[in-house]
Amino acid sequence: MSDILKQIAEKLYDGEDDAVAELTQRALDEGLTPAEVLNGGLLAGMDRVGVDFRDGELFVPEVLIAARAMHAGMAILRPLLTESDVPSAGKVVIGTVEGDLHDIGKNLVGMMLEGGGFEIVDLGTDVPPDRFIEAIKMEHPNLIGMSALLTTTMPSMKRTIDALMEAGLRDTVRVMVGGAPVTQTFADEIGADGYAPDAASAVELARSLAGQINKSDG
Ligand code: B1M
């Protein structure tokens, strides 16, 4: 791995947001691609944070500071990831489900979808089912995207799909789900239309699902 990517990962782990922003910009100036900086620098650093958090070597305050540094790096990459000359591919209402505050993956998926030509309505984190319903009524999206990082919040995805059915809206949108503990099997069990393991496959999935919905019906 290049030296600058290693430094980005280390500074992210240490939670040094200014250094992460500066190194991210420098890596791009040196000719690395946004994907290289994201995967080899920012995500590599966050992976280490995840392992040490799991093993009890890092605690919530340190992880929060690392997350802030991740946001600082992503803010530099954002314009590059969201740049798109593709005509609108559709509209996606996206959010992290009720009870869950993790937003890094959801933000990344939102950015990549935007780069793939989608219009994004981001509801943020801790989004209850009725907030998704309200947004569907107001925004008439092609898709909704739900993210969950906790096994304890995954059932909120099912509650949201149930609420869509109760509101008579299930046929007007396609539902995609993702997040570290989510699997294709779980997506099938709860009646989602698709599951993507990462942000790049989320764009492919969204394209194929959006093609199934005719918004003149919605
Ligand atoms: Co928390 N956390 N956390 N955390 N955190 C995890 C998820 C955990 C696995 C850590 C661990 O134990 N190893 C663990 C969950 C265990 C479990 O349920 N299985 C955990 C826990 C336990 C907790 C708390 C309960 C800790 C506590 O308080 N005791 C607490 C819960 C708070 C809450 O949400 N109510 C908590 C809090 C936090 C912080 C606030 C400190 C912080 C979040 C800050 C923020 O997001 N703004 C945090 C963080 C940073 C993590 C880890 C370290 C990193 C998550 C991350 O951002 N990864 C995480 C450990 C880990 O995942 N290794 C951990 C990088 C991100 C790019 O990946 O989000 O997976 P990810 O997104 C990917 C894919 O999953 C996919 O694409 C993305 C890009 O490739 N994807 C989608 C995601 N959403 C998608 C949606 C799609 C499609 C694909 O379609 C719509």
Side-chain angles (χ1 to χ4, degrees), residues 43 54 63 99 101-105 147 149-151 178-180 196-199:
L43 288 177
R54 182 198 62 208
V63 179
L101 301 174
H102 296 84
D103 67 356
I104 295 171
S147 180
L149 263 287
L150 298 171
T151 44
D198 55 51

Side-chain angles (χ1 to χ4, degrees), residues 43 46-47 49-51 53-55 59-61 63-64 67 70-71 74 94-95 99-106 108-109 113 144-153 176-181 195-200 202 205:
L43 288 177
M46 192 45 93
D47 279 350
V49 171
V51 170
F53 187 31
R54 182 198 62 208
D55 295 345
F59 298 96
V60 169
V63 179
L64 266 177
M70 175 91 193
H71 280 294
M74 275 167 52
I94 193 166
D100 202 320
L101 301 174
H102 296 84
D103 67 356
I104 295 171
K106 182 264 299 164
L108 199 51
V109 169
L113 287 173
I144 67 164
M146 291 187 274
S147 180
L149 263 287
L150 298 171
T151 44
T152 49
T153 58
M176 59 189 276
V177 293
Y195 155 76
D198 55 51
L205 175 66

Side-chain angles (χ1 to χ4, degrees), residues 30-50:
E30 286 178 9
L32 292 173
T33 65
E36 283 167 338
V37 179
L38 179 66
N39 294 321
L42 300 173
L43 288 177
M46 192 45 93
D47 279 350
R48 245 189 85 207
V49 171

Side-chain angles (χ1 to χ4, degrees), residues 189-206:
E189 273 168 20
I190 64 171
D193 298 302
Y195 155 76
D198 55 51
S201 21
V203 179
E204 294 308 309
L205 175 66

Side-chain angles (χ1 to χ4, degrees), residues 89-92 109 112-113 116 118 120 142-144 174 176 194-196 199-213:
K91 198 190 257 193
V92 185
V109 169
M112 299 282 279
L113 287 173
F118 285 91
I120 302 300
N142 304 70
L143 305 173
I144 67 164
R174 291 289 182 261
M176 59 189 276
Y195 155 76
S201 21
V203 179
E204 294 308 309
L205 175 66
R207 286 203 177 115
S208 101
L209 292 177
Q212 298 171 9
I213 279 277

